[in-house]
């Protein structure tokens, strides 16, 4: 029963990550249409950090110290600070669908970084699964790949992807904290970085005037930041970073479906073809585990 529960809750958390985070690129895109990008990022993560610290105080959760605190700060600098500085800048020009194509590189970055940190061993099966999944994303958005988008904006999204991947790997190196506490500290650090960058670029610190911008901010703060970040950290306590990173391969299909519904556009059949590639890649890279042949098992037993 306990073993079943240990598998069920991380899986449910992972599904929640994919569903909730799928709306984030749309929310960010609407937010930066009115707000300066770095200031818009601060307006998201600053209030989210205050909400999480309020939860920490109400529940009297212990604050980390020593290496655990350093890990939370470093996680926040990468996962919330630098990554979303790049992503908010990129999403000023890059459409949400195109951004999710580039974010699908996260599993590849995560695998590489996890190997460099000696957290995981290189497996051709995991790399193959990530490449197949990425191929599915590229199929879905092949028309958007030919759009005239500034190269610097695309590079910004790719750099954001690399920061997210490194943050996930870093999170597993340090002592484990409560997900709410780590998220609160991480978002506070990230918000400070975003505010500093906004100051350097001399952005106007304004509040939204459009209802759609307020709605986007409300979702990004409560669900896209607080809920999603807690779920990610909870899942990372149970699954390897490379496995958790597959969320970025599945999220685009939520984004496409949501944007299609919101924009009242017909779903392109290419989506179904790409979905088949993605499901195949996830199965090969994450789910499928080859069994040892009986001969190999007997040989190992003989060695003992």
């Amino acid at each position: 029963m306990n073993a079943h529960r240990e598998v069920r809750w991380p899986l449910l958390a992972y599904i929640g990550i994919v569903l909730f985070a799928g709306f984030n690129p749309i929310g960010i895109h609407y937010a930066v249409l009115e707000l300066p990008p770095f200031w818009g990022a601060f307006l998201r993560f600053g209030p989210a950090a205050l909400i999480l610290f309020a939860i920490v105080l109400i529940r009297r959760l212990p604050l980390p110290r020593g290496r655990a605190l350093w890990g939370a700060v470093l996680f926040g600098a990468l996962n919330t600070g630098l990554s979303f500085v790049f992503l908010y800048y990129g999403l000023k020009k890059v459409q949400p669908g195109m951004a999710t194509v580039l974010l699908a590189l996260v599993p590849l970055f995560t695998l590489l970084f996890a190997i460099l940190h000696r957290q995981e061993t290189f497996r051709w099966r995991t790399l193959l699964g990530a490449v197949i999944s990425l191929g599915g994303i590229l199929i879905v958005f092949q028309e958007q790949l030919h759009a005239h988008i500034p190269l610097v904006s695309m590079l910004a999204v790719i750099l954001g992807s690399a920061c997210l991947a490194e943050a996930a790997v870093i999170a597993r190196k340090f002592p484990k904290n409560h997900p709410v506490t780590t998220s609160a500290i991480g978002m506070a650090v990230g918000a400070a970085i975003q505010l500093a960058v906004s100051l350097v670029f001399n952005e106007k610190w304004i509040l939204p005037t459009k209802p759609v911008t307020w709605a986007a901010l409300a979702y990004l703060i409560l669900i896209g930041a607080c809920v999603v970040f807690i779920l990610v950290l909870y899942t990372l306590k149970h699954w390897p970073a490379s496995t958790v990173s597959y969320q970025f391969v599945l999220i685009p299909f939520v984004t496409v479906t949501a944007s299609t519904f919101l924009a009242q556009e017909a779903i392109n059949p290419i989506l179904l073809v790409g979905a088949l590639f993605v499901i195949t890649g996830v199965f090969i890279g994450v789910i499928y585990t080859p069994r040892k042949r009986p001969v190999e098992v007997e040989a190992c037993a003989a060695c003992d």
Side-chain angles (χ1 to χ4, degrees), residues 115-131:
I115 293 171
L116 292 176
H117 285 280
R118 298 183 179 180
Q119 289 186 9
E120 301 182 34
T121 57
F122 179 80
R123 295 173 296 172
W124 285 105
R125 177 170 54 83
T126 303
L127 180 59
L128 176 62
V131 171

Side-chain angles (χ1 to χ4, degrees), residues 140-206:
V140 173
F141 296 107
Q142 62 177 343
E143 296 180 2
Q144 296 188 33
L145 292 174
H146 298 292
H148 298 290
I149 299 172
L151 179 60
V152 66
S153 297
M154 297 177 64
L155 290 176
V157 177
I158 293 175
L159 288 173
S161 302
C163 290
L164 289 171
E166 177 65 8
V169 176
I170 287 292
R172 293 183 60 86
K173 289 187 64 176
F174 291 89
K176 301 296 184 266
N177 306 316
H178 193 285
V180 175
T181 305
T182 303
S183 296
I185 295 173
M187 286 186 191
V189 172
I193 292 174
Q194 292 153 6
L195 189 62
V197 174
S198 177
L199 185 62
V200 169
F201 280 84
N202 198 28
E203 290 183 336
K204 292 183 179 180
W205 294 359
I206 58 175

Side-chain angles (χ1 to χ4, degrees), residues 71-250:
V73 170
L74 188 56
F75 175 81
L78 287 170
N79 190 78
T80 307
L82 293 178
S83 64
F84 283 94
V85 163
F86 290 127
L87 291 175
Y88 269 72
Y89 177 83
L91 279 163
K92 191 77 175 178
K93 298 292 184 181
V94 179
Q95 294 295 317
M98 183 65 180
T100 53
V101 173
L102 303 177
L103 284 170
L105 294 170
V106 172
L108 296 176
F109 285 137
T110 304
L111 177 62
L112 175 61
F113 295 156
I115 293 171
L116 292 176
H117 285 280
R118 298 183 179 180
Q119 289 186 9
E120 301 182 34
T121 57
F122 179 80
R123 295 173 296 172
W124 285 105
R125 177 170 54 83
T126 303
L127 180 59
L128 176 62
V131 171
I132 293 175
S133 298
L134 178 59
I137 301 298
L138 295 178
I139 290 174
V140 173
F141 296 107
Q142 62 177 343
E143 296 180 2
Q144 296 188 33
L145 292 174
H146 298 292
H148 298 290
I149 299 172
L151 179 60
V152 66
S153 297
M154 297 177 64
L155 290 176
V157 177
I158 293 175
L159 288 173
S161 302
C163 290
L164 289 171
E166 177 65 8
V169 176
I170 287 292
R172 293 183 60 86
K173 289 187 64 176
F174 291 89
K176 301 296 184 266
N177 306 316
H178 193 285
V180 175
T181 305
T182 303
S183 296
I185 295 173
M187 286 186 191
V189 172
I193 292 174
Q194 292 153 6
L195 189 62
V197 174
S198 177
L199 185 62
V200 169
F201 280 84
N202 198 28
E203 290 183 336
K204 292 183 179 180
W205 294 359
I206 58 175
L207 293 177
T209 58
K210 300 178 181 178
V212 66
T213 309
W214 278 111
L217 269 179
Y219 181 87
L220 290 171
I221 292 169
L222 298 175
I223 308 298
C226 294
V227 173
V228 169
F229 277 55
I230 291 172
L231 292 177
V232 168
L233 288 168
Y234 172 79
T235 310
L236 282 169
K237 292 173 65 176
H238 298 274
W239 290 359
S242 60
T243 300
V244 177
S245 70
Y246 270 85
Q247 61 174 291
F248 293 99
V249 181
L250 298 172

